[in-house]
Amino acid sequence: MSKIATAEEAVSRINDDSIIAVNSSSGLCCPDAVLAALGERFDREGAPRNLTSIHPIAAGDMFGTPGVDHIAKPGMLTKIIGGSYPSGPTTAEPPKIWQMITAEQIKAYNVPSGIIFDILREGAAKRPGVLTKVGLKTFVDPDLEACAMNDAAKKEPIVSHRDFDGEDWLFFPAICPDVAIIRATTADERGNLSFEHEGAYLGAMEMALAARNAGGLVIAQVKRVAQNGSIRPHDVRVPGILVDFVVEAPEQLQTTATQYDPAISGELIRPLQTFRNAEFNVGKVIARRVAQELRDGWAVNIGFGISANVPRILVEEDLHGSVTWMIEQGAVGGVPLLGFKFGCSANAEAFVASPHQFTYFQSGGFDASLLSFLEVGKDGSVNVSRLRGVPHRTAGAGGFVDITARARKIVFSGNFNAGAKMEIQDGRLIIHKEGKVAKFVDEVDQVSFSGARAKDQGQDVTYVTERCVIQLLDGELVVTEIAPGLDLQRDVLDQAATEL
């Protein structure tokens, strides 16, 4: 029997009080047409009500793929558990979901992406929940914020401490979704799904399995429908036995603001000379210094911000391939992309399902991680997940907590303070005007990475800025290098709001 349906027909089966798992990373793999139909149904019928949405990585963006904003309606969505959330410019109107969060119209939680995948996996297997040390001494920890993003969420904690075999662990109860909404490229009439135009699988299989094992509903949005038997078995990433409805959406974007780029899906290998070199500026100087921390043959995770430019530095300096890049969405190797295409890689060597990638990250199986910072505390702790004045400017923690929990080497990068006017002249850094906001402070606004835990675990932690390089040594921030042309006291120590 054919499983092809309209989006309206598929979402008509979603009941009040449902838990809905959404497979997406901003615009990448976002089942936007199905989410739009679900929101439109609520506008017409006032149903379904009292939904809980769970998405390990942001569902939608601020640049043309509304995603979760389609269902961010009072009365419709009452609880959301997200690894990250749609984010964008400070001057832009906040997404509807952020407006609901800040207005206390919804219980909202920021749970590390890998842990959310773990929660769904445990639900699929009918196990009680997740015991993990990921998140200890960070905002995830009940001793700090317990993942709560607002006062409404604080009243209903979702994580607790547990003693197991004499050690302290965090415990997250398993979640069994009633509905999984996923996306692929092609479906046959029996619901078998392939991902040949996608830049990742994310957790499509795992979400479908969790919903199916809970007796729930699985809706798959696809670009096109094929005849039964026309998809090769090795290309099927989600079998039709797990899928209830297939919704065809021919105009779905491949990723944020991108209709289709065959290099993202590994169908075309781009010549290296087609990757634009970074403009020479202060940010590029930071990225080049970060690159010097790498060693040949390493597997290296990379995050958003200045560090995202490091792969282009290696391409420019004829060192591409000396390290293998790993990103949480699942691409292995290739050249991680920038801007709207962040989270995708061109010329990837492999695509790994995100839950497997996070298992690799959580256990510290890789060699190094290159990440950014908003603030650094005197004990080396880092805030990357909250800007209190403009919350939608940051996406939340995403996979940051999973990645840094046991990483052997971490290189954080960013400007030393916010708002400074600077340039490079004749190999020297010239500061024309000092920034007004210190980024090295006594205490960070939110602990995304725990310096205290890093000390306990003996992690190698370095902070690279345009002015200096700082290392975390015995729990203290120590300046180990200074940029040419600067005075240590005037330009570095006096500009920090904590002791270095």
Side-chain angles (χ1 to χ4, degrees):
M1 185 177 77
S2 176
K3 297 183 178 182
I4 313 304
T6 66
E8 292 73 18
E9 290 169 340
V11 301
S12 70
R13 295 282 298 276
I14 298 176
N15 298 320
D16 291 350
D17 305 311
S18 291
I19 298 172
I20 299 176
V22 180
N23 193 50
S24 178
S25 175
S26 297
L28 180 64
C29 290
C30 185
D32 200 60
V34 176
L35 293 172
L38 183 56
E40 289 164 3
R41 179 190 164 198
F42 181 82
D43 291 340
R44 291 192 310 270
E45 305 173 12
R49 301 183 62 82
N50 195 34
L51 301 179
T52 294
S53 173
I54 179 166
H55 47 100
I57 312 177
D61 55 51
M62 292 179 62
F63 306 99
T65 305
V68 71
D69 260 18
H70 287 301
I71 60 173
K73 303 172 187 289
M76 182 182 192
L77 192 64
T78 55
K79 183 177 180 180
I80 186 165
I81 300 170
S84 53
Y85 290 77
S87 61
T90 302
T91 54
E93 182 181 4
K96 294 175 182 177
I97 188 62
W98 275 110
Q99 294 178 39
M100 289 185 70
I101 292 169
T102 56
E104 302 286 346
Q105 294 176 324
I106 186 172
K107 300 182 184 75
Y109 304 85
N110 187 196
V111 179
S113 298
I115 291 179
I116 296 181
F117 282 122
D118 294 339
I119 288 169
L120 292 170
R121 180 195 61 225
E122 296 306 284
K126 306 296 185 183
R127 292 187 288 255
V130 178
L131 278 176
T132 182
K133 290 184 181 289
V134 172
L136 283 169
K137 297 185 179 180
T138 73
F139 74 90
V140 176
D141 196 315
D143 291 342
L144 296 180
E145 299 175 45
C147 299
M149 297 176 69
N150 57 12
D151 290 338
K154 291 176 184 177
K155 299 172 184 177
E156 190 179 303
I158 61 171
V159 57
S160 59
H161 283 281
R162 288 287 192 276
D163 178 82
F164 180 76
D165 202 22
E167 295 185 12
D168 184 32
W169 296 76
L170 298 181
F171 177 72
F172 289 83
I175 294 177
C176 299
D178 302 294
V179 182
I181 304 177
I182 63 177
R183 198 189 88 180
T185 302
T186 306
D188 66 17
E189 296 164 286
R190 292 172 60 86
N192 295 300
L193 306 179
S194 61
F195 287 68
E196 61 271 18
H197 288 177
E198 310 304 321
Y201 310 129
L202 303 179
M205 174 65 183
E206 290 74 12
M207 285 190 186
L209 193 62
R212 168 59 63 236
N213 285 2
L217 182 72
V218 179
I219 302 172
Q221 176 184 311
V222 297
K223 188 175 185 179
R224 57 196 184 186
V225 175
Q227 184 178 339
N228 286 338
S230 60
I231 303 177
R232 294 183 303 175
H234 281 292
D235 293 336
V236 173
R237 297 293 172 177
V238 180
I241 56 172
L242 302 181
V243 177
D244 295 290
F245 291 109
V246 171
V247 174
E248 191 173 9
E251 301 304 316
Q252 67 184 27
L253 298 179
Q254 186 183 42
T255 188
T256 299
T258 303
Q259 189 63 48
Y260 174 58
D261 177 351
I264 286 176
S265 47
E267 299 167 278
L268 174 76
I269 303 300
R270 279 179 60 181
L272 290 180
Q273 61 266 29
T274 65
F275 293 97
R276 182 174 56 84
N277 293 336
E279 177 186 355
F280 184 78
N281 54 26
V282 170
K284 185 171 185 176
V285 170
I286 296 173
R288 291 180 68 176
R289 178 59 186 85
V290 170
Q292 294 175 24
E293 295 289 312
L294 304 178
R295 298 294 178 267
D296 189 59
W298 276 7
V300 181
N301 164 258
I302 194 164
F304 191 71
I306 289 174
S307 59
N309 291 291
V310 176
R312 302 300 177 96
I313 299 296
L314 297 194
V315 170
E316 183 179 352
E317 298 185 3
D318 240 0
L319 293 171
H320 175 69
S322 58
V323 303
T324 300
W325 302 109
M326 315 282 297
I327 55 178
E328 64 189 63
Q329 287 78 4
V332 177
V335 181
L337 299 177
L338 304 172
F340 289 142
K341 297 179 181 180
F342 182 79
C344 302
S345 288
N347 305 354
E349 298 173 25
F351 295 117
V352 176
S354 289
H356 299 168
Q357 194 87 305
F358 276 113
T359 298
Y360 182 56
F361 291 154
Q362 290 174 346
S363 297
F366 58 110
D367 296 289
S369 184
L370 312 183
L371 300 165
S372 298
F373 66 82
L374 291 174
E375 296 176 305
V376 178
K378 64 181 178 181
D379 67 346
S381 293
V382 170
N383 171 25
V384 75
S385 46
R386 183 164 70 195
L387 272 175
R388 195 178 295 271
V390 194
H392 72 275
R393 186 68 181 86
T394 61
F400 184 95
V401 179
D402 304 283
I403 292 162
T404 58
R406 292 189 179 91
R408 287 171 272 174
K409 180 178 179 64
I410 308 169
V411 184
F412 295 110
S413 60
N415 289 332
F416 191 81
N417 60 27
K421 304 298 181 184
M422 303 170 287
E423 65 175 327
I424 308 294
Q425 290 182 2
D426 300 322
R428 300 165 73 85
L429 179 64
I430 307 298
I431 302 173
H432 296 296
K433 182 181 179 182
E434 270 301 349
K436 295 181 179 180
V437 180
K439 298 175 75 172
F440 286 83
V441 296
D442 282 339
E443 292 186 6
V444 296
D445 184 49
Q446 184 171 70
V447 180
S448 317
F449 167 77
S450 170
R453 187 156 174 78
K455 178 184 176 183
D456 293 342
Q457 296 186 126
Q459 291 173 286
D460 180 350
V461 184
T462 301
Y463 312 82
V464 178
T465 77
E466 80 286 356
R467 305 180 187 216
C468 61
V469 175
I470 297 171
Q471 288 186 290
L472 183 62
L473 301 175
D474 294 324
E476 296 183 340
L477 298 176
V478 179
V479 179
T480 57
E481 297 177 27
I482 185 171
L486 297 190
D487 178 82
L488 175 62
Q489 188 66 50
R490 180 194 66 216
D491 298 319
V492 177
L493 302 182
D494 289 350
Q495 303 308 317
T498 192
E499 185 177 353
L500 300 177

